Amino acid sequence: MAILPIRIWGDPVLQSLAQPVTEITEEIRALVANMFETMDAAPGVGLAAPQVGVPLRIYTYTYFDDDDEPWRGHILNPELWMEPIAPGDPDPATEAEGCLSFPEHKFPLRRADHVRVSGTNLDGQEVSIDVRGWRARIMQHEFDHLNGIVYIQRLIEPYTAQTLSIIEESGWGVPELSWTPEA
Ligand code: ZN
């Protein structure tokens, strides 16, 4: 297994439509294993294949809260249903989201509280996920990545302006930038 470089905002793969996985090969298995290792090393609660430069419809996720078992998995070719997003502005205290492709920053974003995701796993079995709250947020965030959407594109002001300043100051927004988590 290996920790993979994570593409940073500006790389075209992050804004491209990822393609369905048509065959589960050894390469795909290795990719998913490496995505888990990379996500854990970052650390992050989710990682989509485009973030490691692979334009395929795959993501991994992991989330721990106080009173639950660790929640972890991967999904291929997901489809997503979500309930309508509640109106109003996002709460910076409880709805701040981050992304490994826009590292070391968080911005408030309103998301649907409840989603259902279906797809398959590496064994070709059907996977069906029905979650709320932060888990639902993670599903929406990772699913977005497969459609070429990074969460900063969904922000409202003043957060959009803040991201533009960060991009300029950091020299992001150009192709082939990446960072690699430490083991
Ligand atoms: Zn992300």
Side-chain angles (χ1 to χ4, degrees):
M1 296 218 298
I3 294 174
L4 305 171
I6 300 174
R7 304 294 174 97
I8 290 172
W9 172 255
D11 196 296
V13 73
L14 294 172
Q15 289 177 269
S16 305
L17 184 68
Q19 298 303 305
V21 178
T22 54
E23 191 188 356
I24 298 162
T25 60
E26 283 310 306
E27 252 185 339
I28 297 288
R29 290 179 191 282
L31 170 66
V32 171
N34 290 338
M35 285 172 62
F36 271 113
E37 190 173 354
T38 304
M39 175 177 71
D40 289 341
V45 294
L47 186 69
Q51 292 182 276
V52 293
V54 179
L56 289 174
R57 303 186 78 77
I58 304 172
Y59 65 76
T60 57
Y61 58 90
T62 185
Y63 188 67
F64 299 81
D65 45 31
D66 294 340
D67 48 17
D68 277 301
E69 291 292 303
W71 180 66
R72 242 170 123 71
H74 70 276
I75 193 161
L76 280 55
N77 302 334
E79 289 182 38
L80 177 131
W81 168 90
M82 64 185 206
E83 84 180 12
I85 296 171
D89 289 345
D91 177 357
T94 61
E95 298 179 275
E97 189 166 316
C99 179
L100 296 175
S101 293
F102 201 88
E104 293 176 23
H105 297 280
K106 285 186 175 180
F107 293 98
L109 173 62
R110 188 139 279 200
R111 294 281 197 182
D113 185 57
H114 181 201
V115 302
R116 292 192 197 104
V117 185
S118 58
T120 60
N121 64 19
L122 283 176
D123 298 321
Q125 294 162 333
E126 281 188 30
V127 173
S128 142
I129 301 164
D130 187 329
V131 284
R132 294 177 181 272
W134 268 93
R135 296 173 186 206
R137 178 180 294 277
I138 294 165
M139 294 291 112
Q140 290 164 81
H141 181 113
E142 301 312 326
F143 187 80
D144 268 353
H145 275 302
L146 306 185
N147 292 331
I149 299 167
V150 177
Y151 88 107
I152 60 166
Q153 295 169 276
R154 292 194 181 277
L155 300 177
I156 56 172
E157 295 294 357
Y159 310 119
T160 301
Q162 291 169 13
T163 64
L164 294 175
S165 299
I166 290 165
I167 291 165
E168 193 174 338
E169 285 161 20
S170 308
W172 294 346
V174 296
E176 293 181 35
L177 291 179
S178 65
W179 69 282
T180 305
E182 309 242 340

